[in-house]
Amino acid sequence: MNTIINDIEVLKAKTTKINEVDFDNLKFGSVFSDHMLECNFKNGKWQAPKVVPYGPITLDPSAKIFHYGQSIFEGMKAYKDAEENVWLFRPLDNFKRLNISAKRLAIPELPESYFMDGLKALLEVDKDWIPKKDGSSLYIRPFVFASGNGFHASPATEYKFIIATAPSGSYFSGEVKVLIEEKYSRSANGGVGYAKAGGNYAGQFYPTQLAIEKGYQQVIWTDDNTHEYIEEAGAMNIFVRINDTLITGPTSDRILDGITRKSIIELAKSEGIAVDVRKITVTEVVEAAKNGTLKEMFGAGTAAVISPISGFGYKDQDYTLPKLDDTFASYLKKRITDIQTNKAEDPFGWRFKVE
């Protein structure tokens, strides 16, 4: 059955899978809703987006995504409040960052209306998939990849933009222990570290696997040149609390301009928490751990919002962070999630109602 929502053509699935889902026990990103948004770039322009049934994609073996890795993505969430209203968190920031990533990987940039109107149409069709349980949300994955064919090492002439969604529970549970990386790098100056390119994450898997084998859950990435400066935590931005000051590295070619990161900085400042955006050395963190001034470390990103770090390893030495009754991490996470889920006022204008 075809309908039109926000000028977007909708081809509804013949059946729904929603009755097969246990919404009280959702793993992150493993169950997918009934529909997805699909839009193709060909003949030099983006074609009209459509909402279609979620399902497999057919590609030629010579599609350039398989050979040259032109692939970018975003991570977002939709929330439903007690009155069944649907909310997004800073969606235009995701749209803008997707196009920043597209430009860096020579992918055609998307029109804002295709992204926003398409997303709203998709959420209207699949609004029953948005869970209401605390800590749960509908995870949204917009992504673009090269679908055009050819073995020649050049940008593709055809691309596919898709938004798929997955009702999900919490991304992380509990605290994590991390290993400060001394050899491998996530990204380099002049590279694509600031873009959400699939290859950035593929390159993280092996060093993270080595860290897991040593008893850690994640890697703290350091700069590519000297490995002296802390930059990111796994697939997240990182914050370090020394005494009562939150410190995080400045964005650069190597560090993603995280939307949760920006929100934490702005929120913390509004709450009177001292925030220092500057380079921070591994030596400074180790010394703070030794002298007791290192109070907290946590990762920040869309999936987990804030993920506390319980300890870290460096040069075959483990350091344990203190267990505090009241942490910046727990306070800031609650403030952000309350805004996201419409449980608190939003003085920043971050919350976006889907209508």
Side-chain angles (χ1 to χ4, degrees):
M1 176 182 171
N2 287 44
T3 59
I4 302 293
I5 300 176
N6 293 333
D7 295 326
I8 305 293
E9 184 180 356
V10 175
L11 176 60
K12 289 193 175 182
K14 294 179 180 178
T15 58
T16 178
K17 308 183 295 287
I18 198 167
N19 297 323
E20 303 168 13
V21 177
D22 181 0
F23 279 85
D24 291 325
N25 295 285
L26 289 168
K27 293 183 179 180
F28 181 84
S30 59
V31 176
F32 306 96
S33 52
D34 288 327
H35 299 88
M36 63 185 187
L37 183 81
E38 187 175 61
C39 183
N40 295 305
F41 181 91
K42 60 183 180 180
N43 300 322
K45 65 178 182 178
W46 286 104
Q47 310 298 303
K50 297 180 181 180
V51 173
V52 299
Y54 180 92
I57 302 165
T58 300
L59 292 171
D60 191 281
S62 69
K64 290 198 173 185
I65 176 58
F66 300 133
H67 307 281
Y68 303 112
Q70 277 183 290
S71 173
I72 57 173
F73 70 96
E74 278 295 320
M76 310 169 64
K77 289 179 178 178
Y79 310 86
K80 190 179 284 184
D81 65 20
E83 286 72 43
E84 301 289 317
N85 297 306
V86 177
W87 301 92
L88 297 169
F89 186 72
R90 307 185 71 166
L92 286 174
D93 287 287
N94 290 102
F95 163 71
K96 291 172 184 175
R97 191 172 62 184
L98 185 72
N99 273 346
I100 289 171
S101 299
K103 186 174 182 179
R104 180 61 182 85
L105 270 74
I107 293 171
E109 296 176 43
L110 278 155
E112 180 181 320
S113 61
Y114 283 22
F115 184 95
M116 291 301 299
D117 292 344
L119 176 56
K120 288 187 282 187
L122 177 61
L123 292 176
E124 174 62 28
V125 173
D126 279 346
K127 59 186 175 184
D128 290 343
W129 284 85
I130 305 173
K132 293 172 63 176
K133 183 179 178 181
D134 282 349
S136 298
S137 60
L138 185 70
Y139 186 77
I140 301 167
R141 173 54 61 88
F143 59 104
V144 186
F145 62 90
S147 56
N149 303 336
F151 291 149
H152 188 268
S154 62
T157 57
E158 295 186 2
Y159 297 85
K160 190 177 288 288
F161 167 53
I162 289 175
I163 302 179
T165 65
S168 298
S170 298
Y171 188 53
F172 291 118
S173 57
E175 298 174 328
V176 296
K177 186 180 174 185
V178 299
L179 179 66
I180 296 179
E181 184 56 55
E182 301 175 53
K183 177 181 178 181
Y184 296 101
S185 298
R186 176 187 173 275
S187 57
N189 287 333
V192 297
Y194 68 92
K196 282 190 76 71
N200 289 346
Y201 298 81
Q204 294 183 27
F205 294 155
Y206 176 65
T208 303
Q209 180 182 321
L210 297 179
I212 290 171
E213 290 171 0
K214 295 179 180 179
Y216 303 90
Q217 286 80 48
Q218 273 295 349
V219 167
I220 288 194
W221 301 105
T222 50
D223 69 287
D224 63 301
N225 187 29
T226 65
H227 294 288
E228 293 178 359
Y229 296 95
I230 282 176
E231 296 201 330
E232 293 203 353
M236 309 175 79
N237 294 117
I238 186 167
F239 284 81
V240 175
R241 175 185 172 187
I242 296 179
N243 289 317
D244 287 330
T245 299
L246 271 183
I247 308 168
T248 192
T251 56
S252 66
D253 286 350
R254 303 184 308 277
I255 298 179
L256 186 72
D257 186 12
I259 293 163
T260 306
R261 171 190 175 276
K262 290 191 290 191
S263 303
I264 288 171
I265 292 170
E266 192 171 347
L267 178 59
K269 288 180 177 178
S270 76
E271 296 285 337
I273 297 171
V275 180
D276 201 356
V277 179
R278 63 169 173 85
K279 291 184 176 181
I280 180 168
T281 65
V282 177
T283 300
E284 184 179 357
V285 173
V286 170
E287 288 303 312
K290 289 179 178 178
N291 64 32
T293 58
L294 180 63
K295 305 299 184 184
E296 295 180 68
M297 298 172 67
F298 56 84
T302 297
V305 184
I306 288 176
S307 181
I309 293 170
S310 61
F312 66 90
Y314 181 64
K315 291 191 180 296
D316 300 319
Q317 179 73 41
D318 279 343
Y319 301 88
T320 301
L321 275 74
K323 292 189 178 298
L324 306 177
D325 291 332
D326 298 307
T327 64
F328 286 175
S330 60
Y331 177 74
L332 292 169
K333 181 173 183 175
K334 186 176 189 307
R335 288 283 284 113
I336 288 176
T337 55
D338 281 353
I339 290 173
Q340 290 173 331
T341 55
N342 197 30
K343 294 178 180 176
E345 292 297 316
D346 176 16
F348 308 99
W350 293 337
R351 196 165 52 223
F352 180 94
K353 189 174 184 179
V354 178
E355 296 179 299

